[in-house]
Amino acid sequence: LSKLQPEEIAPSTLLITGKVFSDLEQKPLEIGYVTLSKALNAAKQGTLFQRNLSILDVKKAFEEIASASGKNSRTKKESILKSLLSNASELERKYIIKNIFGEMQHGVGEGLLLQAIAYAINSSEEDVRRAYMFLGDIGETAKVALTGGIKAIREVNLELFRPMKPMLAEMTYDFEEPLREHGGKTAVEVKFDGARVQVHKKGNKIRVYSRRLSDVTESLPDVVEEVRKELRAEEAVLDGEVIAIGSEGKPLPFQELMRRFGRIREVQKKIKEIKLKLYVFDLLYLN
């Protein structure tokens, strides 16, 4: 990581972890097995103008593939992929294909990478993990750390309309374990099967993000309206959960919620069919 050029840091870090784009970008490649097979077979026949690939070449090719849309988009994607694979060595092809499917199988996950970033700048892993939580992007976290050092990584903070990574619950198979672990008073609550959301508000602007940091605002206009009416703060970030409720106000199965969550078509029609209720756990930021 320390030997990379500044512009190579973010894409390299993502590619190492098997991601082509960060969770915040949400750009699908939409490359199927047939398209990949055609491009790979064509690439193996060689090219007259083969050149060495750079990290930025791979990044640019993936961006072009994700941007290809409309008529003949599959042909465009295949052509770009063929060009990329034609200039790759056998080893490079192997890992480019692994990146496409998001399965690297080389033993370096996010946890190890965060340790490496901390080691590279002589920082504590806790500082790097905190910055990663606020940035929501391991590539950007690496770039901030390696270009700005400990000072820059410690200055990272919550930013409105940049969703932060949620704190998730952990499973336990022994009821006594959490009681021993935390001590003191313990509360037990029923867990409804809903979808985790993070709501950001500034004035009249309100955005809703999923636990994977996707922007799901357009599919939840009723939740947005509820926040607009009930939350009087000028600026705020809420952490909570959305559940589907039936006519008697009782929770509906998770499958019913998924008919609404993330939907971009016929939203108004589905609002009438499936009502949602927002439960807020925490106020993460206020003014």
Side-chain angles (χ1 to χ4, degrees), residues 1-22 25 53-60 62-63 95 99 104 106 108-110 113 116-117 137-143 146:
L1 292 174
S2 303
K3 295 176 182 176
L4 294 168
Q5 295 299 311
E7 65 273 16
E8 294 175 327
I9 296 170
S12 297
T13 310
L14 288 168
L15 291 170
I16 289 169
T17 58
K19 292 181 179 179
V20 174
F21 303 109
S22 75
E25 291 178 286
L53 277 183
S54 71
I55 292 162
L56 297 181
D57 288 334
V58 177
K59 176 176 182 277
K60 183 184 176 191
F62 279 141
E63 284 177 343
Y95 281 101
N99 269 121
M104 302 307 284
H106 53 28
V108 182
E110 284 189 350
L113 205 49
I117 294 166
D137 177 348
I138 199 163
E140 186 66 19
T141 304
K143 185 176 180 181
L146 292 159

Side-chain angles (χ1 to χ4, degrees), residues 2 112-132 141-142 144-146 148-156:
S2 303
L112 197 61
L113 205 49
L114 290 169
Q115 289 177 12
I117 294 166
Y119 183 79
I121 63 168
N122 278 327
S123 170
S124 72
E125 190 181 336
E126 186 180 341
D127 280 345
V128 175
R129 283 188 178 277
R130 176 188 170 279
Y132 178 39
T141 304
V144 169
L146 292 159
I150 296 175
K151 184 174 184 291
I153 212 76
R154 286 178 178 170
E155 286 175 352
V156 172

Side-chain angles (χ1 to χ4, degrees), residues 142-195:
K143 185 176 180 181
V144 169
L146 292 159
T147 57
I150 296 175
K151 184 174 184 291
I153 212 76
R154 286 178 178 170
E155 286 175 352
V156 172
N157 217 319
L158 186 148
E159 184 181 321
L160 280 170
F161 307 110
R162 183 177 189 124
M164 58 185 284
K165 293 187 78 66
M167 295 179 73
L168 303 175
E170 293 179 22
M171 291 290 289
T172 180
Y173 299 96
D174 170 9
F175 193 78
E176 298 295 324
E177 184 188 353
L179 304 182
R180 289 193 303 268
E181 184 79 19
H182 301 291
K185 292 183 178 180
T186 302
V188 180
E189 296 179 350
V190 172
K191 167 73 171 72
F192 291 123
D193 208 356

Side-chain angles (χ1 to χ4, degrees), residues 171-241:
M171 291 290 289
T172 180
Y173 299 96
D174 170 9
F175 193 78
E176 298 295 324
E177 184 188 353
L179 304 182
R180 289 193 303 268
E181 184 79 19
H182 301 291
K185 292 183 178 180
T186 302
V188 180
E189 296 179 350
V190 172
K191 167 73 171 72
F192 291 123
D193 208 356
R196 188 76 171 266
V197 291
Q198 193 177 126
V199 183
H200 289 230
K201 176 184 186 289
K202 181 173 185 178
N204 286 323
K205 183 179 178 183
I206 297 167
R207 307 304 294 178
V208 185
Y209 304 94
S210 72
R211 66 179 285 177
R212 298 189 183 279
L213 314 188
S214 303
D215 190 326
V216 292
T217 310
E218 303 309 318
S219 69
L220 306 172
D222 42 350
V223 173
V224 171
E225 194 55 34
E226 184 181 355
V227 172
R228 197 186 308 280
K229 284 181 179 178
E230 302 294 338
L231 184 63
R232 292 187 293 276
E234 176 65 18
E235 296 180 345
V237 176
L238 308 175
D239 185 17
E241 189 151 352

Side-chain angles (χ1 to χ4, degrees), residues 36 40 44 85 88-106:
L36 178 60
L40 188 58
K44 285 180 178 177
L85 295 173
S89 67
E90 280 298 317
L91 185 61
E92 287 168 341
R93 282 178 193 164
K94 173 184 173 181
Y95 281 101
I96 287 170
I97 292 168
K98 282 179 176 288
N99 269 121
I100 290 169
F101 293 112
E103 296 177 3
M104 302 307 284
Q105 297 172 316
H106 53 28

